[in-house]
Amino acid sequence: MNVTLPVKMDAATCARIQDVLSRVGDKWSMLILMSMTGGTQRFSELRRSIDGISQRMLTRTLRNLERDGYVKRTVIPTVPIRVDYELTRMGRSVAEPVSALGQWAMGHLDHIDAARRKFDKENGSDAISS
């Protein structure tokens, strides 16, 4: 679906767009969405696939993604209880560009690092903090 943005957006629309982009663009949401493109996963599978994420942060981020309609949580009444997470249709649609951006970043890490080193050398290392 192609959406053409108006040339000038009102403050309410800008705030809503910023809210959406903040959610899908935050560090953990992007990594979770990218990890879930392979299909339904259990909580523990997601946690193992995302290095450095705490149980609390994974729980919190999954809840936010579920609230916004990107992720579906299914509780399976077994002993112990099993909880599966999967992308919704909307989640799959946003995971595609998020994954593309992640792949782009991975493919350009060396170039970005070189550009930063060059900039820091020419402008002093305290010119910008990462």
Side-chain angles (χ1 to χ4, degrees):
M1 172 164 108
N2 278 341
V3 176
T4 304
L5 296 175
V7 175
K8 182 172 173 136
M9 291 182 281
D10 60 70
T13 302
C14 286
R16 291 177 68 203
I17 290 170
Q18 180 181 6
D19 181 54
V20 169
L21 294 178
S22 292
R23 169 78 67 234
V24 298
D26 79 59
K27 172 184 178 178
W28 298 120
S29 292
M30 285 188 71
L31 293 173
I32 290 169
L33 290 169
M34 289 170 61
S35 292
M36 293 181 72
T37 57
T40 302
Q41 292 189 40
R42 296 177 75 176
F43 184 91
S44 58
E45 292 172 312
L46 280 168
R47 184 148 183 230
R48 280 192 301 270
S49 71
I50 303 169
D51 192 34
I53 193 166
S54 68
Q55 181 172 333
R56 180 176 181 268
M57 185 53 69
L58 179 56
T59 299
R60 187 172 166 187
T61 307
L62 283 167
R63 285 271 197 208
N64 286 331
L65 291 169
E66 182 182 8
R67 179 176 181 254
D68 288 353
Y70 302 114
V71 171
K72 178 184 174 195
R73 178 179 184 262
T74 304
V75 177
I76 298 146
T78 59
V79 177
I81 291 176
R82 177 178 164 162
V83 181
D84 288 341
Y85 294 90
E86 64 182 307
L87 294 175
T88 62
R89 179 182 290 186
M90 187 170 64
R92 286 189 302 274
S93 73
V94 77
E96 185 177 323
V98 164
S99 293
L101 183 58
Q103 291 297 320
W104 176 89
M106 287 175 28
H108 290 83
L109 289 174
D110 291 341
H111 179 75
I112 292 166
D113 289 343
R116 287 177 177 174
R117 283 191 300 274
K118 180 180 180 218
F119 179 90
D120 290 348
K121 184 178 178 183
E122 292 172 357
N123 296 285
S125 61
D126 341 333
I128 288 187
S129 62
S130 298

